[in-house]
Amino acid sequence: DVVYVIEALDANTAFASTSLFSISGSASTKIFKTTNGGGSWSQVFSQSSGFIGGIQMKSALQGYAVGTPVGGKWSILKTTDAGNTWNHLATEPTQVADETGLLCFQLLGNTIWFGSTSGNVYRSTDLGVTWISVSTSASYASGIRFNSSTVCITGFDGGVTFSSTNGGA
């Protein structure tokens, strides 16, 4: 497995997502948790396809993980028990055409943002209950960073960047 993301909650608790790609191109993904500073890890989530490209904890109990589309929907996971279990949101956004990719994801307050290969940036201002997507003229979002609920910069393939002062609307 290849480690794609590590999210540390504190000196002892952290999460890591891994994916295993086969020769046929299919992937499986897992989330692991440590509570002893990486001394040992336990698997807390597994999915037979796709990969998880972002994990962020909102609090010690609540967190979100975002991954590539599976079955026509983006993988959006939530934990409410300190990362011991992860469940798909019933409101995962629908994949547009053949978009994929997940190199950028951010959780800030009650807002979740992530980008796709099509240049769409997805946003939920209510922790995944509802979603909107904003199209850009670029492709393959590779980085997104908000420093407040309104101000951000997003990077795309080919060195293209966009900024927003209205929360990504």
Side-chain angles (χ1 to χ4, degrees):
D1 284 11
V2 176
V3 175
Y4 277 93
V5 67
I6 297 174
E7 167 75 354
L9 187 58
D10 56 42
N12 290 311
T13 308
F15 303 90
S17 76
T18 67
S19 289
L20 176 64
F21 290 91
S22 69
I23 293 173
S24 67
S26 63
S28 63
T29 191
K30 299 172 187 153
I31 297 176
F32 293 88
K33 178 182 179 180
T34 182
T35 57
N36 60 5
S40 62
W41 294 82
S42 58
Q43 182 180 314
V44 292
F45 177 79
S46 178
Q47 182 173 282
S48 62
S49 59
F51 77 92
I52 301 300
I55 301 171
Q56 285 188 287
M57 296 299 287
K58 182 171 174 54
S59 68
L61 293 175
Q62 184 179 354
Y64 293 84
V66 179
T68 58
V70 174
K73 296 206 176 257
W74 285 92
S75 296
I76 314 291
L77 309 173
K78 180 180 180 179
T79 182
T80 57
D81 63 0
N84 294 316
T85 59
W86 295 82
N87 297 295
H88 285 270
L89 292 182
T91 56
E92 293 170 321
T94 301
Q95 174 185 22
V96 175
D98 62 350
E99 73 182 341
T100 188
L102 183 69
L103 297 175
C104 62
F105 159 64
Q106 186 172 5
L107 167 66
L108 182 64
N110 289 335
T111 305
I112 301 169
W113 296 270
F114 69 90
S116 74
T117 55
S118 69
N120 288 338
V121 176
Y122 290 83
R123 178 181 67 166
S124 173
T125 58
D126 51 18
L127 294 172
V129 175
T130 59
W131 293 92
I132 64 161
S133 67
V134 177
S135 296
T136 70
S137 59
S139 64
Y140 217 95
S142 56
I144 190 167
R145 192 56 58 208
F146 278 79
N147 65 1
S148 73
S149 62
T150 57
V151 179
C152 87
I153 190 163
T154 305
F156 295 86
D157 193 30
V160 176
T161 60
F162 290 108
S163 62
S164 176
T165 57
N166 62 6

